[in-house]
Amino acid sequence: MTDDNLPAIPADYSPGNRQTITDHYVAQNVVYEAVAFKFKNFTRLNASRITFKNVSFEHSLFEGCYFRNCVFDSCNFTGCRFIGSNFHQSSFPGSRFDYATFERCQIDSDILTAWNPREQNLKMRFARSLRMNFQQVGDAKAVNEAITQELDATARHLRESWQSEDEFHRKKYPGLLRVRQFLAWLEFWVLHFVWGNGESISKLLRSIIIVMIVIAVYDANTSSTSATILDYWESLKAAPAIFLGTLSRPSHAIAAASAIVATRLIALSLLTALLVKRFGRR
Amino acid sequence: MTEFNNRIAAQREVLLAVNSVHWREELYGMSSGALERWVQANSLNRCSKLVSLLLEVAGKLFFLANKSQEQVTAEYRLHSSEVSELTEAIRLEVQQLQVLGTDMDKN
């Protein structure tokens, strides 16, 4: 294969302003540095016990870097990419992470609480990127923390996207898009209520109890024409058995009995999915 | 205060100590940006004892590791106890300010 067939780079494309910095280390604290760390490709940049205060790292790339026990106080990591780097025991109080992504990085999970942007969709993507990162390095506990943050930010973002009256949301979701965002939020909310979007066993158990109460009310009303408190109580006691299929009532309509079976199958499969998802990582 | 305090818990303790008094604007975090904002919003003197204590503790706080069990070292102990002492000093300072503040209200 030859490169002869490849088109040449047009002459009017000028080379970018990106500098590559390889195999360096930061020897002393960096304070209020707005330019020196911007638009760089850092490869194997090292630092240990260094404080970076108000430093702008905008749109930089960190590859194979090693920052141990460092403090990044109010730094700007807008658009940064972190690849295969080690931030063992470093902390990031008040730093910005708009559009930052992480791959295979060793990083403490308290980075999740370092930054709280006004735009919840940014927070959502940040938590999602970190979740993938923690999965890649096998930190199961941090994955769960990241998912919790991601779901929280998603819920807020979806609610703000149809409810909030501020300019950003109304320009982004005008007219019918607002209705679509409302439906997306509704779906998210329902799934969150039913089983915490696959994260909460207690919420799923709550849903199953609600289903049993519905079954008890239906059962009491079909077994006698005017149900008394005692009938409701007896039905409530029988509801778990009806739900699990160990007790079948001839008085139930076919449709209702089928609905109960369908609910049972769905509830048990959700429970299985939840257990596998939650505990299968370890 | 527990011997092996982690980063977030230590930060929370300092914030609670500072915010136990009624400020014009609460202190939201220990990053330099948050401290700056708080100092400006409450028009505090940058050289006052409270502000300098807060700056000092902020510097030390974020060198504490977040996973206490990894850090059964003398150095970590030292760090942790320094932060505890500073937190205590801040608490005292804030209490004094509160007493002074109420005295001024009475006058």
Side-chain angles (χ1 to χ4, degrees), chain A residues 32 49-51 53-54 69-71 73-74 88-91 93-94 107-110 113 139, chain B residues 7-8 11 30-34 36 55 58-59 61-67 70-71 75 79:
Chain A
Y32 293 97
R49 302 197 159 270
I50 300 291
T51 303
K53 197 175 193 175
N54 277 306
N69 253 317
C70 290
V71 179
D73 187 348
S74 311
H88 188 61
Q89 294 182 354
S90 290
S91 56
I107 200 161
D108 289 339
S109 61
D110 64 357
T113 56
D139 190 345
Chain B
R7 194 184 281 161
I8 304 285
Q11 184 180 352
M30 294 302 293
S31 65
S32 63
E36 188 83 357
L55 287 174
L61 199 55
F62 295 111
F63 277 119
L64 284 179
N66 68 344
K67 293 189 180 67
E70 286 179 13
Q71 295 293 335
E75 199 192 355
H79 246 313

Side-chain angles (χ1 to χ4, degrees), chain A residues 140-151:
Chain A
K141 210 172 144 227
V143 171
N144 288 341
E145 280 171 41
I147 289 180
T148 311
Q149 293 275 341
E150 188 190 333
L151 287 176

Side-chain angles (χ1 to χ4, degrees), chain A residues 65-87:
Chain A
C65 293
Y66 182 75
F67 291 94
R68 184 194 154 88
N69 253 317
C70 290
V71 179
F72 296 88
D73 187 348
S74 311
C75 293
N76 188 346
F77 291 100
T78 302
C80 282
R81 287 181 66 204
F82 299 90
I83 302 165
S85 296
N86 192 332
F87 291 92

Side-chain angles (χ1 to χ4, degrees), chain A residues 157 161 168-175 177-178 180-181:
Chain A
H157 166 62
S161 71
F168 169 76
H169 287 106
R170 292 288 58 84
K171 271 192 174 164
K172 198 172 175 189
Y173 304 106
L177 278 178
R178 192 170 177 168
R180 202 191 69 183
Q181 286 305 109

